[in-house]
Amino acid sequence: MDKKYWKKENEGTSKMKKFTGSSSYVATKELMNAVNVAIALQKPLLIKGEPGTGKTMLAEAVAESLNMKLIVWGIKSTTKAQEGLYVYDTVQRLYDSQFGEGDVSDIKRYIKLGKLGEAFSSDEQVVLLIDEIDKADLEFPNDLLWELDRMEFYIPETKETITTKHRPIVIITSNAEKELPDAFLRRCIFHYIEFPDKDKIREIIQVHFGDLDQKLVDAAIDAFYDIRSMRQIMKKPSTSELLDWIQALQISGVDVKKIKDTIPYIGVLLKKNQDIDVVKGYRHVY
């Protein structure tokens, strides 16, 4: 990146807002530091962690905290990098040429910006979430290196270069289903969200539910961590599944003693028959 561009991008950096968490998201000091370092250095923040540890929700919390729009680019196995930049709608142009609707010579009418293109062309700084990047093929991250470095891309159909007006805050999540290329990793700030301990889990429950019967919370947390500690469990229950389970327990008015002796509504926590069978070997479930 040339010095002039760097200077322009860093004007007023000292006045930059900092992420300090949000009313609906419990963030550790280390995670907040990682977000703020990524903002200050103007680099993408790559977040890894178990499913259900709040990776996607982090982007929502950052957008809420900094009062910015959130643009979400959800990645699938078939997603191509080009789709995030723009799509040239040749089918619509062909249709218009056949039926005489609109000026088909104006190619700009048929250029549809993708999520990355939207973030670059936004009149205000936004938070861009590239969600579950590891679902795409191995070339996908490398195909974005230039755009994420320079914050611009070229549209050959219109001979136009789209350059970011306000550099977005880029948050990228990965479930570590596959390794990401080294060249891509070098351009990111990295943070791994550790699975929360019991004290942090209590904070998260407090944020979502407010005051609950403490005996119910204690019993649910103990049962939850007992299940997670079982080595034979293939898919350990996540934080989001614990929250769903506590809500089910609260709504049903289940006796707290039953939570200690049995696992009510086991299907809220576990989603594999093999895992339910494992728990049955230790406790009664229903």
Side-chain angles (χ1 to χ4, degrees):
M1 186 178 293
D2 59 65
K3 292 182 179 179
K4 289 183 179 178
Y5 187 81
W6 177 257
K7 183 178 179 181
K8 178 182 176 183
E9 283 293 299
N10 281 276
E11 288 176 357
T13 301
S14 60
K15 299 179 181 178
M16 188 179 298
K17 292 183 179 179
K18 290 187 176 181
F19 174 60
T20 57
S22 76
S23 59
S24 57
Y25 189 89
V26 177
T28 63
K29 182 178 180 181
E30 292 77 15
L31 178 54
M32 288 188 283
N33 286 342
V35 172
N36 291 321
V37 166
I39 293 173
L41 297 182
Q42 300 178 334
K43 290 180 175 290
L45 174 63
L46 175 61
I47 296 291
K48 287 187 179 183
E50 284 187 36
T53 49
K55 298 185 298 297
T56 299
M57 288 180 64
L58 171 65
E60 299 172 1
V62 171
E64 176 190 335
S65 173
L66 303 182
N67 195 28
M68 294 180 183
K69 177 182 177 182
L70 174 65
I71 295 177
V72 179
W73 185 12
I75 307 303
K76 301 177 182 178
S77 59
T78 56
T79 302
K80 302 299 181 185
Q82 175 67 35
E83 299 170 15
L85 304 175
Y86 76 96
V87 175
Y88 175 32
D89 194 345
T90 55
V91 174
Q92 183 63 51
R93 191 181 184 207
L94 177 61
Y95 177 90
D96 289 349
S97 67
Q98 290 177 337
F99 296 96
E101 296 187 13
D103 180 10
V104 295
S105 65
D106 183 8
I107 298 180
K108 283 188 178 182
R109 296 181 62 229
Y110 305 99
I111 299 296
K112 312 292 184 184
L113 291 179
K115 297 299 185 180
L116 204 59
E118 286 181 30
F120 284 10
S121 59
S122 175
D123 290 329
E124 297 180 347
Q125 188 178 30
V126 301
V127 176
L128 172 65
L129 169 63
I130 304 177
D131 202 20
E132 299 189 330
I133 193 172
D134 52 323
K135 283 188 175 180
D137 62 43
L138 291 174
E139 292 305 313
F140 179 88
N142 282 336
D143 290 343
L144 290 177
L145 290 181
W146 171 267
E147 288 77 16
L148 290 177
D149 261 354
R150 302 290 299 186
M151 286 289 157
E152 66 179 31
F153 62 93
Y154 181 66
I155 303 178
E157 290 83 358
T158 60
K159 296 180 175 58
E160 179 184 16
T161 297
I162 303 296
T163 303
T164 180
K165 297 179 182 179
H166 301 279
R167 193 178 185 93
I169 297 171
V170 181
I171 296 176
I172 303 171
T173 70
S174 170
N175 288 322
E177 292 183 6
K178 59 172 71 82
E179 288 298 320
L180 299 173
D182 288 345
F184 180 80
L185 294 174
R186 283 196 299 270
R187 288 163 169 82
C188 297
I189 303 300
F190 174 75
H191 184 80
Y192 184 88
I193 297 182
E194 298 285 351
F195 197 85
D197 59 21
K198 288 187 177 183
D199 289 338
K200 187 61 67 175
I201 278 287
R202 283 190 172 84
E203 286 185 51
I204 294 171
I205 292 171
Q206 176 71 28
V207 165
H208 284 269
F209 296 108
D211 292 329
L212 284 178
D213 181 349
Q214 196 56 48
K215 291 183 179 179
L216 182 147
V217 172
D218 290 343
I221 289 176
D222 287 344
F224 174 73
Y225 278 95
D226 282 348
I227 292 173
R228 282 187 56 86
S229 68
M230 297 177 185
R231 294 183 179 180
Q232 305 96 317
I233 296 294
M234 298 175 63
K235 183 185 180 303
K236 295 182 179 181
S238 67
T239 305
S240 59
E241 286 159 335
L242 171 62
L243 295 175
D244 288 342
W245 189 48
I246 288 176
Q247 187 173 14
L249 296 173
Q250 183 185 27
I251 292 172
S252 67
V254 67
D255 188 339
V256 172
K257 293 180 180 178
K258 287 187 176 181
I259 302 174
K260 294 181 178 180
D261 300 330
T262 65
I263 304 293
Y265 315 116
I266 188 67
V268 180
L269 284 175
L270 299 176
K271 309 301 168 62
K272 290 181 178 290
N273 289 339
Q274 303 95 312
D275 291 343
I276 293 176
D277 289 339
V278 169
V279 176
K280 281 181 178 179
Y282 293 89
R283 296 190 183 207
H284 297 294
V285 303
Y286 68 90

